[in-house]
């Protein structure tokens, strides 16, 4: 058995764990990062692709955005389609901030490239990961790698290992409140080798269900289709998916649309979870280990990197200046932002997804809400504020409450 000593043990080498480790190292705080997947798997898994302005600022401020600046797609706004109309909403015109298309796996590659080669602080393919001693002053992470048992002793542990990881499960159930919601629909997602449907994202609300036309690069499209959560995957062959996308995107029959080769097809369950508090003893939960968002508003990656940034600065303050407050207040600080993002995500999910038992009253109310956004008034400004995440970077405003009041999730 090999025993290592470090200041912070980071469990999970997704974007949040890698970013946290990077920030700590940059400011002279040692860490060891443990990941149960292989490096190849971590670099290749396709996840979120929409980055908020605040996330891009974090990456640029940390010297991690060289490739993002060259290859990321800057979007001034998006298309909103409903009732056989297409409206453009420009977040730049409304509040002066764009969004960016840059895949999560690309962020991971950039973070891994920024690490010193073979410095012995990153372990992939870790098995039987366990976290112990979080209520004492010497917590540790034990795991097996290459047949050898390794124990990492640390001052603190950052749990960045996602919904199914060991970090949240290491907190006693009696000390953790877990809130969850499962929506009655899923998304079918396609990764397609074809030029994007449009130059910007297209959110389309149709009586048959929601559709989203996104992209990863100028040559690769990402397409999503709402389906009932109880519907069998076998009921959705490729031809039916393509036909439904055409209808729900209000595709003009005269227009040719390159379908392209399907590189990947996934089923995405829409759910929301929050674990609170986000810290227990010497263990801190970061990203998906603490919260899951429905993909409608693309908050998951962005909020996770915010978590990592806030925790990194709190830990740096503790080790370099002896500051206690930011570390003790981590959970309270982050939960305010998490619940705000959950609120907006839930509202947007309600707005975009018709359900089978919706009444005509529900339908007309939804159209009225969509129309208000398309009119570029105060409702659109409040929407853009939440959509690009600017609202989480400043003190709470009553405008969001006033403008979106009554739009139930």
């Amino acid at each position: 058995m090999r025993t290592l000593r470090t200041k912070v043990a980071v469990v999970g080498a997704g974007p949040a764990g890698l970013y946290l480790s990077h920030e700590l190292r940059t400011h002279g705080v040692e860490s060891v990062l443990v990941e149960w997947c292989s490096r190849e798997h971590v670099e290749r898994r396709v996840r979120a692709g929409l980055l908020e302005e605040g996330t891009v600022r974090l990456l640029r401020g940390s010297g991690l955005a060289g490739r993002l600046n060259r290859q990321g797609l800057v979007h001034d706004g998006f298309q909103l389609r409903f009732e056989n109309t297409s409206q453009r909403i420009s977040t730049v015109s409304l509040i002066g901030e764009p969004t960016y298309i840059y895949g999560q796996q690309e962020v991971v590659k950039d973070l891994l490239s920024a690490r010193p080669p073979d410095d012995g602080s990153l372990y992939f393919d870790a098995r039987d990961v366990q976290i112990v001693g979080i209520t004492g002053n010497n917590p540790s992470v034990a795991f097996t790698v290459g047949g050898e048992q390794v124990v990492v002793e640390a001052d603190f542990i950052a749990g960045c290992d996602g919904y199914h990881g060991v970090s949240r499960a290491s907190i006693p159930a009696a000390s953790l409140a877990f809130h969850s919601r499962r929506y009655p629909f899923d998304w079918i997602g396609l990764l397609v080798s074809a030029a994007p449907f449009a130059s910007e994202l297209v959110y389309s609300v149709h009586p048959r269900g929601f559709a989203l036309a996104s992209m990863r690069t100028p040559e690769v499209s990402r397409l999503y289709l709402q389906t009932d959560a109880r519907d069998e995957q076998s009921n959705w062959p490729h031809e039916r998916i393509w036909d439904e996308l055409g209808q729900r995107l209000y595709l003009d029959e005269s227009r040719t649309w390159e379908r392209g080769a399907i590189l990947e097809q996934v089923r995405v369950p829409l759910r929301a979870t929050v674990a609170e508090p986000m810290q227990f003893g010497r263990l801190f939960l970061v990203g998906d280990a603490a919260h899951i968002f429905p993909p409608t508003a693309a908050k998951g990656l962005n909020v996770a990197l915010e978590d990592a940034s806030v925790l990194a600065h709190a830990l740096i303050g503790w080790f370099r200046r002896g500051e206690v407050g930011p570390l003790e207040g981590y959970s309270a600080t982050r939960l305010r932002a998490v619940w705000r993002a959950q609120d907006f995500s839930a509202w947007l999910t309600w707005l975009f997804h018709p359900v089978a038992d919706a009444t005509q009253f529900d339908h007309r109310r939804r159209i009225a809400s969509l129309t208000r956004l398309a009119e570029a008034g105060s409702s659109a400004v409040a929407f853009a504020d939440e959509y690009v995440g600017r609202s989480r970077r400043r003190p709470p405003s009553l405008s969001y409450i006033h403008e979106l009041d009554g739009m139930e999730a």
Side-chain angles (χ1 to χ4, degrees), residues 132-406:
V132 298
I134 56 177
T135 58
N137 294 326
N138 192 33
S140 62
V141 178
F143 58 96
T144 301
V145 61
E148 180 185 23
Q149 186 175 12
V150 180
V151 176
V152 179
E153 297 178 346
D155 295 292
F156 299 99
I157 297 175
C160 311
D161 51 346
Y163 180 81
H164 298 288
V166 301
S167 296
R168 189 180 67 251
S170 299
I171 298 176
S175 300
L176 193 71
F178 187 71
H179 312 282
S180 65
R181 179 177 186 179
R182 176 65 165 95
Y183 290 90
F185 34 77
D186 293 346
W187 282 3
I188 294 175
L190 299 181
L191 192 67
V192 180
S193 178
F197 177 80
S199 59
E200 297 178 317
L201 271 64
V202 178
Y203 297 93
S204 189
V205 182
H206 190 277
R208 299 177 66 89
F210 171 71
L212 168 60
S214 180
M215 70 279 296
R216 286 296 176 266
T217 71
E219 297 81 29
V220 178
S221 298
R222 191 68 159 160
L223 303 165
Y224 293 103
L225 190 74
Q226 175 189 349
T227 183
D228 192 293
R230 298 165 296 182
D231 210 352
E232 295 292 336
Q233 185 67 32
S234 59
N235 292 332
W236 288 94
H238 290 167
E239 193 64 28
R240 183 187 177 191
I241 294 174
W242 284 115
D243 289 345
E244 281 290 324
L245 283 167
Q247 291 187 64
R248 298 187 194 185
L249 292 169
Y250 298 95
L251 184 63
D252 189 327
E253 293 182 1
S254 65
R255 174 183 168 180
T256 59
W257 179 25
E258 182 186 359
R259 293 188 171 186
I262 295 177
L263 306 175
E264 177 187 80
Q265 178 175 333
V266 296
R267 186 75 171 253
V268 182
L270 269 69
R271 59 182 175 174
T273 67
V274 178
E276 53 183 1
M278 288 174 60
Q279 62 191 94
F280 180 80
R282 294 281 178 126
L283 170 64
F284 297 83
L285 301 181
V286 181
D288 288 2
H291 41 71
I292 298 287
F293 297 89
T296 322
K299 296 303 179 191
L301 172 60
N302 295 288
V303 176
L305 287 179
E306 284 177 10
D307 291 347
S309 177
V310 170
L311 182 58
H313 285 86
L315 288 167
I316 293 164
W318 168 283
F319 285 111
R320 299 192 64 181
R321 297 180 295 275
E323 295 174 354
V324 177
L327 203 56
E328 291 182 342
Y330 167 75
S331 179
T333 298
R334 292 310 303 148
L335 281 171
R336 284 192 292 271
V338 167
W339 279 114
R340 181 165 189 134
Q342 287 286 13
D343 179 40
F344 180 70
S345 296
W347 173 75
L348 195 63
T349 301
W350 167 82
L351 183 65
F352 283 172
H353 293 79
V355 293
D357 60 353
T359 65
Q360 190 59 215
F361 179 90
D362 296 327
H363 172 69
R364 299 313 305 170
R365 180 167 168 246
R366 176 175 285 107
I367 297 305
S369 296
L370 291 165
T371 301
R372 282 209 293 167
L373 296 185
E375 290 173 347
S378 57
S379 292
V381 172
F383 171 89
D385 224 22
E386 301 295 327
Y387 181 80
V388 305
R390 188 177 71 164
S391 60
R392 300 194 311 277
R393 289 180 271 123
R394 64 161 194 250
S397 166
L398 290 178
S399 64
Y400 170 69
I401 300 172
H402 291 161
E403 294 303 331
L404 304 185
D405 184 41

